[in-house]
């Protein structure tokens, strides 16, 4: 448990090492990165196994004064929700490194930036002081630019800039909201528990205004419609490992910020904003799904599917009851794994061999026969993404729908339509990319592809295994998530809605 | 005014040291001029300059409020901190001088620089409005010459001329404003002015004087709409002069005007709020803040020359500093000092590196930086660090400077006030700023370069200056309480 903060320090140290070693040997940098990621994963997993739910809410890891004049503390604490996302970070990092094993250009710098990003993400998930939270959040933003702009593909500089500016504008809104809360409520510190107490002194109008700033600031990163447009462009432009991280972990930062900061701080604002945000979330689910249905570029399909699936998370969050919230957290985890897998297939395993992502061109290659392993992985990932039982997407989306139904049957029904659409675009992509009829396969495209490498296999197995285990026994995570949601930390928001 | 000459000598010992040093640099150079090569003269001048600055720094470090001469000079926290930081920043600039080879008159340059510094360190401490103005003029005159120092380049002369003409006009405005204040209050002592103004409400005369003073303020701190000199001077001046103007001169200017406005003219502050505004300098400053924010950030977007971009970004940074000035009475000097020190370090670092990369100053385009990360990883890394600090990315010091100013501003006024709106605008415009800073970083780290690897010989002093500036930015970022508390 107490080793958890080391994940942050480890990542930053690993980044430095990878940078230094990368100049001499690319392999060395890869090994350093993988070792760092595995150590991080090991620490989070062992912490989760030994974790005993704390009925009072957060379990403090470190709490020392940092800038005493403003009551800012270096305050790290976790509960079941943070642990769930920490495990996700560990898994996604490891898989991302396995799938970017073949990067040849500026290897040391790549893994250094990658690990800095990860260090920031670990930090966000553990911060219990909003100032610290914000600092880590920003640390995670800048490396994204370089990862996408240097190692990306199509439109990489545009995509990178768009991605970073959206994130930064979002975080500026958050910063403004946080400073406002601190100044207006007369809080003595930036610690989350203190702020929650102090924010109850704010007026109802202030609750509504500040909640708007902070929630939409975070939701930008979570891909809430109509602030989602950075996501498809960014995901497509990014190199595989970065898309895996962006969709798998970074979008979760936004959702986590909504859950950890925005909702508990301003419970009085929920009634006002709930219909608006829920409508946007449902619109996002359906709209992004429909767009994914007509994409020619394989990666755009996955990019828009991410937006659609993140809509479920937002819907679950804003429905604000125990079921919907726990579903939302599980969906964050589940989507992190599945989106990582999908991007790995499209960006790495297919693109590196075919050098195209155009579905119409892929159709002529007969990939189903020529790359059976890839086809198999993608079918599994696609099924998981559609929300088939036995995979983690199923319990997550189902729980969200049940929770949402208690608030509004209309939203739940509309979101369920979204699941149908997601089945449609996933099946379309599977069919076009892998199982087109034999007639359309042209003979010109029959040279042999490079075989599937060991890191690719390991990464696929890691992610598929996780989604299967959680799909078959979601209680593994629900047992972490539910006690956290029932703790006093969240009691205001869960009580705040009549169900 | 009761004081004797011993007191005077003690109080002004750093200034006296600097002036003696300025003479020594010239003298030493005069003696050795014929016999040694130019590079050795540069080293010798830098060495004498550094020793002088260290001595002056030590003297101002040991000075305290017991040395105050009422009505003339004070060593309150604002003065003490600013003086120390001015000397530290100047020392860094002198260290970086070695980066610009080929200068023919090292001794004259450093001597002028020391002379200017002696003016700059009086500015934050002057309790007497005439003394303050004289110090400002001494500093400005030195800076005009330093700007036009590179006589072989017409750009430099042009910048020097422009700076001189605009600067003298602004000084005339300021002086006229000050004389009106004297006419209204009958005193040149800031404390007496304040107590006189306390009992007399704002009159048309003082209103006019305020406007004149704000013009002088706007020029000195490069606040829009009095910013027009900045891009030309930043572009044309020798790098070290540009570094000096952007860092030290800004710090001294802010300290000087903070004392003048927040202490001397405090009764004329007026009131800034949506419901019951009343005339005063707060409103004028709010207009300046908004104008600087817009013109600085939007102007920077259009720049292709890196130095002009830095000038516009400096205008944008001025807006944050003006907010810090507006809340000075509730927070004290630490905000302004922290911000200007860290900002100054970043700019000195950037200008030093620009000087290293393009000693002849051929084009100065941002695209010249393309591929720097391959050509010189060390310089690229440092440049990246400074730029990110300017952009306000935590955990670097630039972020904390902004954060403190915004937090204290909101704490004192709330968001639903004009100041709150300015803060909100400042926060949102930081995203615009990130765009052009990322433009620089993109060239450094992303674009492939065409030029061969650099073989820059960094001398010890330059390297020390670069490492020290970087350290300040990182250490004060991780531990901002060192200054803030």
């Amino acid at each position: 448990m107490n080793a958890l903060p080391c994940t942050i320090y480890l990542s930053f140290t690993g980044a430095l090492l990878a940078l230094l070693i990368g100049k001499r040997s690319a392999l060395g940098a890869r090994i350093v990165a993988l070792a760092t990621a595995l150590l991080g994963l090991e620490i989070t997993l062992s912490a989760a196994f030994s974790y005993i739910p704390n009925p009072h809410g957060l379990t403090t890891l470190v709490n020392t004064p940092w800038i005493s004049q403003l009551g800012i503390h270096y305050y790290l604490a976790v509960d079941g929700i943070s642990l769930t996302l920490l495990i996700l970070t560990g898994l996604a990092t490891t898989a991302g490194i396995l799938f970017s094993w073949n990067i040849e250009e500026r290897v040391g710098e790549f893994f250094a930036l990658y690990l800095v990003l990860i260090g920031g993400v670990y930090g966000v998930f553990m911060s219990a002081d909003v100032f610290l939270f914000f600092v880590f959040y920003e640390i995670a933003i800048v490396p994204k630019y370089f990862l996408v702009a240097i190692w990306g593909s199509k439109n990489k500089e545009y995509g990178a800039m768009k991605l970073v500016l959206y994130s930064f504008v979002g975080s500026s809104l958050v910063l403004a909201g946080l400073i406002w809360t601190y100044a207006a409520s007369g809080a003595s510190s930036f610690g989350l528990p203190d702020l929650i107490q102090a924010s109850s002194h704010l007026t109802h109008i202030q609750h509504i205004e500040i909640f708007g700033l902070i929630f939409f600031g975070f939701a930008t990163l979570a891909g809430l419609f109509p602030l989602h447009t950075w996501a498809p462009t960014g995901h497509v432009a990014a190199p595989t490992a970065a898309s895996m991280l962006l969709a798998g972990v970074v979008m979760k930062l936004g959702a986590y910020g909504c859950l950890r900061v925005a909702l508990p701080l301003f419970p009085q604002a929920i009634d006002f904003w709930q219909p608006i945000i829920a409508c946007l979330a449902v619109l996002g689910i359906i709209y992004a799904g429909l767009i994914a249905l007509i994409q020619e570029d394989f990666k755009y399909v996955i990019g828009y599917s991410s937006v659609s699936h993140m809509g479920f998370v937002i819907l679950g969050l804003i429905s604000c009851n125990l079921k919907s919230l726990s579903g939302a957290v599980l969906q964050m985890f589940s989507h992190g794994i599945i989106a990582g897998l999908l991007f790995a297939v499209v960006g790495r395993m297919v693109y590196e061999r075919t050098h195209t992502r155009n579905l119409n061109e892929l159709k002529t290659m007969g990939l189903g026969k020529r790359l059976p392993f890839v086809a198999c992985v993608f079918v599994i990932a696609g099924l998981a993404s559609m929300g088939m039982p036995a995979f983690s997407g199923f319990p997550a989306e189902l729980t969200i729908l049940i929770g949402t139904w208690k608030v509004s049957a209309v939203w739940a029904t509309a979101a369920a339509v979204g699941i149908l659409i997601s089945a449609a675009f996933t099946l379309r992509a599977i069919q076009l990319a892998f199982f087109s009829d034999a007639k359309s396969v042209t003979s010109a495209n029959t040279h042999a592809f490079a075989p599937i490498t060991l890191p690719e296999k390991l990464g696929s197995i890691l992610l598929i295994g996780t989604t299967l285990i959680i799909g078959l026994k979601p209680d593994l995570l629900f047992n972490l998530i539910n006690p956290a949601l029932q703790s006093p930390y969240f009691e205001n928001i869960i009580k705040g809605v009549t169900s | 005014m009761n004081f004797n000459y011993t007191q005077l000598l003690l109080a002004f010992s750093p200034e006296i040291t600097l002036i003696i040093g300025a003479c020594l640099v010239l003298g030493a150079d005069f003696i050795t001029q014929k016999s040694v090569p130019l590079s050795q003269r540069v080293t010798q001048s830098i060495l004498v300059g550094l020793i002088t600055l260290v001595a002056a720094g030590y003297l101002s470090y040991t000075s305290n409020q017991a040395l105050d001469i009422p009505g003339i000079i004070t060593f309150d926290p604002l003065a003490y901190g600013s003086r120390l930081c001015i000397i530290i920043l100047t020392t860094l600039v002198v260290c970086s001088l070695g980066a610009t080879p080929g200068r023919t008159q090292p001794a004259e340059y450093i001597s002028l620089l020391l002379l200017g510094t002696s003016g700059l360190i009086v500015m934050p401490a002057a309790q007497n409005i005439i003394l303050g103005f004289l110090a400002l003029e001494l500093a400005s005159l030195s800076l005009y010459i330093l700007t036009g120092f590179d006589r072989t380049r017409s750009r430099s002369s042009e910048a020097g001329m422009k700076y001189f003409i605009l600067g003298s006009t602004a000084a005339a405005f300021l002086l006229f404003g000050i004389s009106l204040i004297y006419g209204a209050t009958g005193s040149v002592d800031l404390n007496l002015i304040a107590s006189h103004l306390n009992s007399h409400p704002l009159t048309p005369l003082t209103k006019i004087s305020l406007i004149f003073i704000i013009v002088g303020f706007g020029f000195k701190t490069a606040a829009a709409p009095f910013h027009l000199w900045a891009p030309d001077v930043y572009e044309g001046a020798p790098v070290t002069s540009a570094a000096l103007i952007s860092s030290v001169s800004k710090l001294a200017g802010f300290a000087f005007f903070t004392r003048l406005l927040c202490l001397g003219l405090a009764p004329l502050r007026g009131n800034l709020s949506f419901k019951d505004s009343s005339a005063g300098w707060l409103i004028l400053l709010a207009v300046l803040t908004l104008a600087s924010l817009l013109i600085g950030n939007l102007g920077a977007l259009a720049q292709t020359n890196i130095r002009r971009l830095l000038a516009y970004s400096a205008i944008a940074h001025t807006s944050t500093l003006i907010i810090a000035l507006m809340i000075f009475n509730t927070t004290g000097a630490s905000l302004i000092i922290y911000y200007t020190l860290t900002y100054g370090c970043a700019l000195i670092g950037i200008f030093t590196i620009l000087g290293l990369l393009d000693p002849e100053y051929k084009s100065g385009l941002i695209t010249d930086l393309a591929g720097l990360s391959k050509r010189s990883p060390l310089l690229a890394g440092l440049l990246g660090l400074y730029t990110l600090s300017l952009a306000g990315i935590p955990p670097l010091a630039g972020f904390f400077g902004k954060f403190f100013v915004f937090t204290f501003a909101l704490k004192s006024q709330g968001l639903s006030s004009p100041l709150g709106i300015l803060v909100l605008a400042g926060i949102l415009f930081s995203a615009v700023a990130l765009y052009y800073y990322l433009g620089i970083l993109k060239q450094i780290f992303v674009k492939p370069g065409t030029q061969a690897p650099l073989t820059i010989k960094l001398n010890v002093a330059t390297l020390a200056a670069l490492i020290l500036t970087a350290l300040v930015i990182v250490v004060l970022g991780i531990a901002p309480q060192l200054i803030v508390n």
Side-chain angles (χ1 to χ4, degrees):
Chain A
M1 210 48 204
N2 288 326
L4 270 178
C6 293
T7 51
I8 306 174
Y9 319 136
L10 254 177
S11 304
F12 290 140
T13 321
L16 199 65
L17 274 179
L19 187 66
L20 293 177
I21 294 176
K23 278 186 186 149
R24 300 270 158 67
S25 122
L27 184 67
R30 286 180 192 128
I31 290 172
V32 166
L34 187 62
T36 314
L38 282 174
L39 262 175
L41 178 62
E42 199 277 325
I43 291 173
T44 54
L45 279 178
S46 65
F49 281 124
S50 66
Y51 177 70
I52 302 151
N54 180 350
H56 304 296
L58 292 162
T59 308
T60 304
L61 302 170
V62 191
N63 190 2
T64 50
W66 183 14
I67 305 166
S68 48
Q69 207 182 16
L70 291 172
I72 293 170
H73 289 242
Y74 186 76
Y75 182 12
L76 300 177
V78 290
D79 60 7
I81 297 172
S82 351
L83 273 174
T84 308
L85 294 168
L86 287 170
I87 299 173
L88 168 66
T89 311
L91 285 169
T93 313
T94 313
I97 289 171
L98 287 173
F99 281 113
S100 41
W101 202 256
N102 66 328
I103 284 200
E104 296 293 341
E105 186 195 358
R106 298 164 81 174
V107 182
E109 291 165 68
F110 178 84
F111 286 114
L113 286 166
Y114 185 90
L115 289 173
V116 169
L117 172 58
I118 291 303
V121 172
Y122 274 128
V124 170
F125 288 144
M126 273 185 263
S127 302
D129 179 295
V130 287
F131 180 79
L132 189 66
F133 187 102
F134 185 82
V135 168
F136 281 124
Y137 193 78
E138 294 268 288
I139 290 178
I141 287 182
V142 175
K144 288 193 293 191
Y145 176 79
F146 295 107
L147 283 175
V148 178
I150 299 179
W151 292 274
S153 50
K154 189 167 145 189
N155 265 345
K156 54 186 179 179
E157 282 169 22
Y158 169 76
M161 191 59 99
K162 188 166 177 181
L163 162 73
V164 169
L165 286 184
Y166 265 73
S167 319
F168 200 75
V169 170
S171 74
S172 305
L173 294 177
V174 171
L175 180 66
L178 292 179
I179 299 180
W180 189 4
T181 316
Y182 172 75
S185 68
S188 58
S189 83
F190 276 90
L192 271 170
D194 283 352
L195 270 184
I196 289 176
Q197 225 163 27
S199 70
S200 58
H201 303 310
L202 297 172
T203 62
H204 189 62
I205 295 294
Q206 279 175 325
H207 266 262
I208 291 176
E209 289 170 340
I210 308 180
F211 178 84
L213 270 183
I214 297 186
F215 193 92
F216 282 99
F218 279 129
T220 309
L221 202 56
L224 173 65
F225 175 86
L227 306 169
H228 68 283
T229 56
W230 64 270
T233 336
H235 288 153
V236 170
T240 306
S243 346
M244 289 174 69
L245 272 193
L246 280 177
V249 181
V250 174
M251 285 177 98
K252 309 310 176 281
L253 291 182
Y256 179 75
C258 293
L259 176 62
R260 175 67 75 199
V261 181
L263 289 169
L265 242 50
F266 310 103
Q268 296 177 32
I270 295 172
D271 284 342
F272 175 84
W273 283 106
Q274 193 176 43
I276 302 171
I277 293 173
C279 276
L280 289 176
V282 170
L283 266 176
I285 294 173
I286 295 176
Y287 168 84
L290 287 176
I291 294 201
L293 203 49
I294 54 158
Q295 291 304 311
E296 302 272 291
D297 187 322
F298 203 176
K299 222 172 173 183
Y300 266 113
V301 177
I302 314 296
Y304 277 105
S305 92
S306 277
V307 176
S308 177
H309 287 294
M310 284 307 287
F312 278 95
V313 175
I314 304 274
L315 185 65
L317 290 179
I318 200 64
S319 295
C320 279
N321 55 50
L322 189 60
K323 272 266 180 297
S324 75
L325 286 172
S326 60
V329 178
L330 189 64
Q331 170 77 344
M332 287 190 220
F333 183 89
S334 153
H335 176 251
I337 300 293
I338 296 170
L341 195 54
L342 291 171
F343 274 117
V345 171
V346 177
R348 171 79 176 90
M349 297 204 272
V350 171
Y351 182 76
E352 292 290 329
R353 296 185 172 78
T354 62
H355 302 288
T356 176
R357 293 193 310 250
N358 189 315
L359 283 171
N360 290 328
E361 287 178 35
L362 290 175
K363 196 167 80 173
T364 64
M365 295 182 178
L367 293 182
K369 290 218 176 76
R370 295 166 65 198
L371 292 172
F373 179 80
V374 179
C376 174
V377 171
F378 190 80
V379 168
I380 294 174
L383 289 178
S385 175
M386 283 188 277
M388 280 289 144
F391 295 105
S392 58
F394 175 70
E397 291 182 356
L398 189 66
T399 323
I400 293 177
L401 288 181
I402 294 173
T404 310
W405 186 278
K406 290 184 181 167
V407 185
S408 158
V410 180
W411 299 338
T413 318
V417 173
I419 297 188
L420 280 183
I421 299 176
S422 118
F425 67 70
T426 315
L427 287 175
R428 168 179 172 266
I430 290 179
Q431 202 246 330
L432 282 179
F434 296 104
F435 302 113
S436 53
D437 49 13
K439 270 176 273 173
S440 58
V441 178
T442 51
S443 54
N445 284 318
T446 45
H447 64 275
F449 289 126
I452 302 295
T453 62
L454 182 63
E456 287 173 342
K457 282 183 187 158
L458 287 176
S460 309
I461 290 166
L462 179 71
L463 294 179
I464 292 177
T466 313
T467 177
L468 260 177
I469 291 172
I470 299 305
L472 292 171
K473 195 164 167 40
D475 277 352
L476 285 176
L477 289 179
F478 276 140
N479 286 342
L480 281 176
I481 298 166
N482 282 332
L485 286 170
Q486 282 156 339
S487 73
Y489 188 92
F490 290 104
E491 71 183 353
N492 285 336
I493 57 172
I494 292 182
K495 260 197 314 198
V497 174
T498 47
S499 56
Chain B
M1 289 189 210
N2 292 320
F3 59 89
N4 57 36
Y5 282 97
T6 338
Q7 250 183 309
L8 205 59
L9 274 180
L10 277 175
F12 284 98
S13 53
E15 287 82 357
I16 295 169
T17 316
L18 285 172
I19 291 171
I20 294 175
C23 300
L24 277 181
V25 174
L26 281 181
D29 191 57
F30 182 70
I31 294 168
T32 54
Q33 196 176 25
K34 297 273 154 53
S35 54
V36 300
L38 183 65
S39 64
Q40 207 166 325
R41 279 170 58 203
V42 174
T43 318
Q44 170 193 310
S45 305
I46 291 178
L47 217 57
V48 178
L50 281 181
I51 292 169
T52 313
L53 280 165
V54 169
Y58 177 75
L59 287 171
S60 56
Y61 176 72
T62 53
S63 68
N64 54 51
Q65 283 189 292
L67 292 175
D68 281 8
I69 305 175
I72 303 278
I73 195 163
T74 177
F75 298 98
D76 62 4
L78 173 66
Y80 181 79
S82 314
R83 285 159 68 93
L84 212 53
C85 290
I86 288 171
I87 293 179
I88 292 172
L89 289 175
T90 315
T91 313
L92 291 173
V93 173
V94 173
C95 283
S96 72
L97 259 177
T100 40
R103 176 156 289 120
T104 47
Q105 294 153 305
E108 283 87 337
Y109 191 89
I110 287 180
S111 159
L112 276 169
L113 195 151
L114 292 177
L115 210 59
T117 311
S118 72
L120 288 167
I121 60 172
V122 178
M123 280 166 65
Q127 276 285 33
N128 182 310
I129 210 166
I130 299 286
L131 178 65
F133 181 79
L134 283 177
L136 189 146
E137 276 300 275
L138 174 60
S140 302
L141 280 171
S142 318
L143 289 177
Y144 301 146
I145 307 175
L146 291 179
T147 303
F149 202 83
D150 204 345
R151 283 173 305 171
T152 51
R153 227 156 32 84
S154 60
R155 280 253 171 212
S156 171
S157 314
E158 182 196 326
M161 198 48 139
K162 191 161 188 175
Y163 193 26
F164 172 65
I165 292 174
L166 288 176
S168 340
T169 321
F173 272 89
L174 177 63
L175 191 60
F176 191 58
I178 288 175
S179 69
L180 290 182
I181 290 284
Y182 174 70
T185 62
S187 174
V188 289
D189 177 347
L190 286 177
N191 289 330
L192 296 179
I193 291 176
S195 60
H196 184 272
L197 288 175
N198 257 330
S199 50
H200 295 71
L202 201 66
T203 61
L205 187 65
T206 43
K207 271 184 199 166
I208 293 173
S209 72
L210 265 189
I211 291 175
F212 279 107
I213 289 177
I214 294 295
V215 172
F217 167 81
F219 176 84
K220 196 67 208 165
T221 56
F226 309 106
H227 64 283
L228 285 168
W229 60 273
D232 290 319
V233 170
Y234 278 47
E235 187 192 358
V239 274
T240 35
S241 311
L244 205 64
I245 290 167
S246 60
S247 59
V248 187
S249 163
K250 194 162 202 159
L251 168 53
F254 260 101
F256 173 74
F257 281 98
T258 305
R259 182 173 301 287
L260 182 63
L261 292 173
C262 298
L263 300 175
L265 305 181
L268 304 185
R269 60 193 298 121
N271 196 11
L272 183 66
S273 83
F274 286 130
K275 285 187 190 119
D276 53 338
S277 280
S278 59
W281 51 259
L282 274 181
I283 292 181
L284 293 174
L285 288 190
V287 173
L288 252 58
T289 310
L290 192 63
S292 310
L293 196 60
L294 290 173
I295 292 180
N297 280 314
L298 299 181
L301 288 179
Q303 302 307 317
T304 50
N305 182 302
I306 181 142
R307 294 203 201 174
R308 294 186 82 84
L309 187 146
L310 287 175
Y312 278 99
S313 96
I315 298 164
H317 279 278
T318 299
S319 67
T320 316
L321 272 166
I322 302 180
I323 296 178
L325 195 161
M326 286 156 84
I327 53 168
F328 172 77
N329 291 67
T330 53
T331 57
S334 51
L335 282 190
I336 294 179
I337 293 175
Y338 181 85
Y339 199 103
T340 40
L341 176 68
T342 51
Y343 172 78
C345 279
L347 272 187
I348 290 174
I350 292 181
F351 273 117
T352 307
I353 292 179
L354 291 181
L356 284 169
L357 293 180
D358 192 4
E360 304 298 322
Y361 192 62
K362 288 193 193 97
S363 67
L365 293 177
I366 303 174
T367 44
D368 289 354
L369 295 173
L372 185 65
S373 65
K374 284 235 175 61
R375 294 165 64 203
S376 167
L378 174 71
L379 294 185
L382 285 169
L383 203 50
L385 184 81
Y386 301 134
T387 315
L388 285 177
S389 176
L390 287 185
I393 302 293
L396 300 174
F399 168 74
F400 289 88
K402 272 193 180 153
F403 175 77
F404 291 138
V405 172
F406 292 155
T407 307
F408 281 108
L410 283 189
K411 228 179 168 180
S412 73
Q413 300 269 319
L415 193 75
S416 42
S417 67
L419 198 61
I421 301 294
L422 286 177
V423 167
L424 192 62
I427 293 177
L428 290 181
F429 265 101
S430 55
V432 177
L434 184 70
Y435 176 78
Y436 54 77
Y437 290 126
L438 275 184
I440 302 178
L441 295 179
K442 178 170 94 180
Q443 295 297 338
I444 301 174
F445 293 103
V446 179
K447 291 280 182 193
T450 47
Q451 287 135 311
L454 282 175
T455 44
I456 292 171
K457 268 184 256 163
L458 276 171
N459 62 32
V460 185
T462 313
L463 192 65
L466 287 176
I467 288 174
L468 278 176
T469 46
L471 268 183
V472 168
I473 287 169
V474 173
V475 170
L476 282 184
I478 293 167
Q481 65 270 32
L482 290 179
I483 284 195
V484 177
N485 289 352

